[in-house]
Amino acid sequence: MKKLLILILTAAMIFSGCSSNSAPEEAPDVEASVESAEESDKSFTMAVHWIGANLDTIEGWNGWVTARIGAAESLVKVDEDMQVSPVLAESYTVVDDRTVEFVIRNNAFFHNGEKVDAKAAKKSIERTLSDSDRSDLVFEVEEIKADGQVLTVVAKDSMPILLNVLADPCFSIVYVDGVDEATFDTTPICTGPFKITEYIQDGDIQLVRHDQHWYGKTNVETVTVKHIQDATTRAMALQSGELDYAVQVTATDLKLLEEDARFDILKGANLRINMLILNYDKPYMQELKFRQALKYGIDQVAYAEGIVGGIPAKGPYTEQLPFAYTGDPYYAYDPAKANALLDELGYVDTDGDGVREIDGAPLELVYLCSQKSGVESRNIGVAMQQQYKEIGIALDVQQVENYY
């Protein structure tokens, strides 16, 4: 029997300036899983590319990890059709532009056996709002009302995206009463189909089946989650049979997997993007013409299609979304335009070494990419380095553990 390989391919690759923090993005977003042909095999081993310092769902993007491994759940989620669909809430009603009412499932239970009711969900959401470091999601509330299984969240001000915000895994519903910080960090009490039993930093995460899950029991009894940072290593582990599931398979490894008769491959697009974040503290980055030159100086199409195996983006939103830009690209690769703009700014090469100067100093930029993003992020930097050399800009490519 063939094994099943599920691939969710990145929909876009974007290069744009941004002055605010953003979630770490890797390229491409590819997930792979192997469905065992042996129904008697009740264990499941998977690998993820990133795990934070702990598993507390309200810190950073930890909620995405706990949700991905089947431990944590929010009241609702944004599904593959870009619609908000119920999870712990069996239904919801958007009352007005700052109020959402949820009816929580009557058969939902925490991993400690306690029932999930509106009061428990309220405490979890309040903890997120008061203690989370996700300033992009935290909002002011006027009131959170709990009445049996009915939870009503009222934002202080108009907030049309309230429902979408509450769908983020940062708002995963966890058991709060009497729980200490060590438990939140290592074995948070969630509601998903699998319960975390052990986590050692930089080690594996162990989970067991949650028999009281509202959807019913799965066939899998135990799950081991491995942290394998390198994408090629993950793909090799998948091919060897060490793993049943792996996230972030690279475009290069995908080609090898496609040639492997053991795998049936399903592909689909998602909304993940890759961005360049510009440092606006640098005076030259505040020059519009300089930023335009940077855009004209790189071949975004070649990077997206040739390096990452994705689709070149035309803006921060993919064309799957109704409000996305769908016209012609604003900045197609044009090194001649880039050179002209730099000349207009007076950034010229005065000593003939091939690098322009600003106020007598060489124009040298630093490109930082995370080790967690894999070799492709570095390869993009190397490609940019070569193309920027053609327009008189030096680029130092550095791959670091954390660029924030």
Side-chain angles (χ1 to χ4, degrees), residues 16 47 49 68 81 102 121 126 139 160 162 167 171 181 222 238-239 250 257 341 384:
S16 66
H49 65 287
R68 177 172 279 156
D81 296 319
F102 301 93
E126 288 176 336
F139 59 94
L162 177 59
F171 285 95
E181 288 303 316
T222 63
L238 186 67
Q239 289 176 298
T250 68
L257 295 170
L341 287 166
M384 291 174 58

Side-chain angles (χ1 to χ4, degrees), residues 5 238-239 249 253-260 263 265:
L5 178 67
L238 186 67
Q239 289 176 298
V249 178
D253 292 325
L254 171 59
K255 293 178 182 178
L256 297 176
L257 295 170
E258 287 176 323
E259 296 170 357
D260 193 326
F263 300 99
I265 298 175

Side-chain angles (χ1 to χ4, degrees), residues 27-145:
D29 184 19
V30 180
E31 300 186 354
S33 69
V34 179
E35 185 181 87
S36 174
E38 301 293 332
E39 291 187 3
S40 59
D41 186 359
K42 300 296 185 180
S43 64
F44 186 82
T45 304
M46 62 180 291
V48 294
H49 65 287
W50 179 84
I51 299 177
N54 60 64
L55 299 181
D56 192 343
T57 57
I58 69 171
E59 292 189 21
W61 291 269
N62 293 344
W64 288 96
V65 175
T66 53
R68 177 172 279 156
I69 65 177
E73 297 173 315
S74 302
L75 293 169
V76 292
K77 68 177 182 179
V78 178
D79 63 24
E80 61 273 17
D81 296 319
M82 299 308 300
Q83 302 297 315
V84 176
S85 60
V87 185
L88 282 175
E90 65 181 11
S91 64
Y92 65 85
T93 302
V94 178
V95 179
D96 54 42
D97 62 0
R98 62 191 189 97
T99 307
V100 180
E101 180 182 278
F102 301 93
V103 178
I104 298 173
R105 298 180 187 277
N106 202 44
N107 61 340
F109 294 88
F110 288 103
H111 292 156
N112 61 359
E114 295 291 331
K115 185 176 181 178
V116 181
D117 58 15
K119 184 178 179 180
K122 175 184 176 182
K123 290 179 180 179
S124 179
I125 292 173
E126 288 176 336
R127 178 175 181 265
T128 301
L129 293 174
S130 64
D131 297 347
S132 177
D133 58 0
R134 289 289 303 278
S135 59
D136 58 321
L137 294 176
V138 172
F139 59 94
E140 290 189 71
V141 294
E142 179 176 296
E143 184 181 19
I144 300 180
K145 295 183 289 187

Side-chain angles (χ1 to χ4, degrees), residues 271-289:
L271 303 181
R272 184 175 293 273
I273 60 173
N274 297 307
M275 297 188 296
L276 285 180
I277 302 175
L278 306 181
N279 183 358
Y280 280 84
D281 289 338
K282 303 293 184 180
Y284 45 80
M285 286 295 184
Q286 298 174 24
E287 293 280 357
L288 174 60
K289 289 182 178 180

Side-chain angles (χ1 to χ4, degrees), residues 1 4 6 24 54 76 114 136 244 273 275 317 363 367:
M1 181 183 295
L4 175 65
I6 302 175
N54 60 64
V76 292
E114 295 291 331
D136 58 321
D244 300 300
I273 60 173
M275 297 188 296
Y317 306 107
L363 178 49
Y367 171 96

